Amino acid sequence: MKWRKKLYIALIAIGLGLIGTVYLFLDKGISSRGTGALIGIASGLTGMSVSQLLTLRMEDTDPSLRKRNEIERKDERNLAIRRRAKALSGDVLLWAVIGMSWLSFGLGAPSWILLLAAAVFVVKSLLELCLMVRYQREM
């Protein structure tokens, strides 16, 4: 547990360091896309780490909460619910990619974008098929 706290504190320091670096070198030639990406990464790291530290602190102060969370994490029903939600979100994401490819086709986007969307669709479909065959053999 202590190593997780140290990891999250280090990630907060890295995130704040990235934010500081961006503001120090803002006028030194970094593109606006680069600064935006760095600020986004830094904010994400910092926010995720702070929330995880708060969660760990709540579990430290309330051992019953830690035990309940551990049971819920390992419970077969909750595991099945999470897997089903992931599968459905994968399908929704796949159709969103297809919709975006149609939109980009309508807007006259370069053909590599359409080919990339088609490749994502094919790879996801093949991966789903391979996993279905594997799981049917295992069960």
Side-chain angles (χ1 to χ4, degrees):
M1 193 62 77
K2 289 185 179 185
W3 67 270
R4 288 177 64 189
K5 287 182 181 180
K6 290 179 182 178
L7 172 70
Y8 293 134
I9 290 171
L11 287 176
I12 289 171
I14 290 170
L16 294 176
L18 278 175
I19 291 172
T21 303
V22 167
Y23 284 116
L24 284 177
F25 298 112
L26 191 58
D27 297 329
K28 307 286 192 245
I30 299 177
S31 69
S32 62
R33 287 184 182 175
T35 58
L38 285 176
I39 291 289
I41 291 169
S43 300
L45 277 176
T46 305
M48 177 208 57
S49 299
V50 167
S51 71
Q52 290 298 322
L53 278 175
L54 290 174
T55 301
L56 289 175
R57 179 164 167 73
M58 285 177 16
E59 286 181 351
D60 285 344
T61 58
D62 188 7
S64 65
L65 178 66
R66 178 187 303 145
K67 187 174 182 178
R68 187 176 24 186
N69 287 343
E70 188 69 27
I71 290 170
E72 287 180 6
R73 221 176 335 221
K74 293 180 181 179
D75 183 36
E76 290 181 20
R77 181 176 176 270
N78 288 333
L79 187 62
I81 290 170
R82 277 195 302 275
R83 286 181 178 167
R84 188 172 179 186
K86 284 181 183 180
L88 183 60
S89 67
D91 287 341
V92 169
L93 182 63
L94 179 68
W95 289 108
V97 166
I98 296 302
M100 293 300 288
S101 67
W102 277 103
L103 180 65
S104 63
F105 175 73
L107 296 175
S111 60
W112 68 269
I113 294 175
L114 301 172
L115 292 175
L116 181 66
V120 167
F121 183 83
V122 169
V123 167
K124 195 264 184 194
S125 299
L126 288 175
L127 181 64
E128 188 176 323
L129 180 66
C130 291
L131 288 173
M132 273 194 317
V133 169
R134 177 182 166 198
Y135 292 149
Q136 283 177 348
R137 287 181 185 164
E138 288 178 2
M139 294 180 175

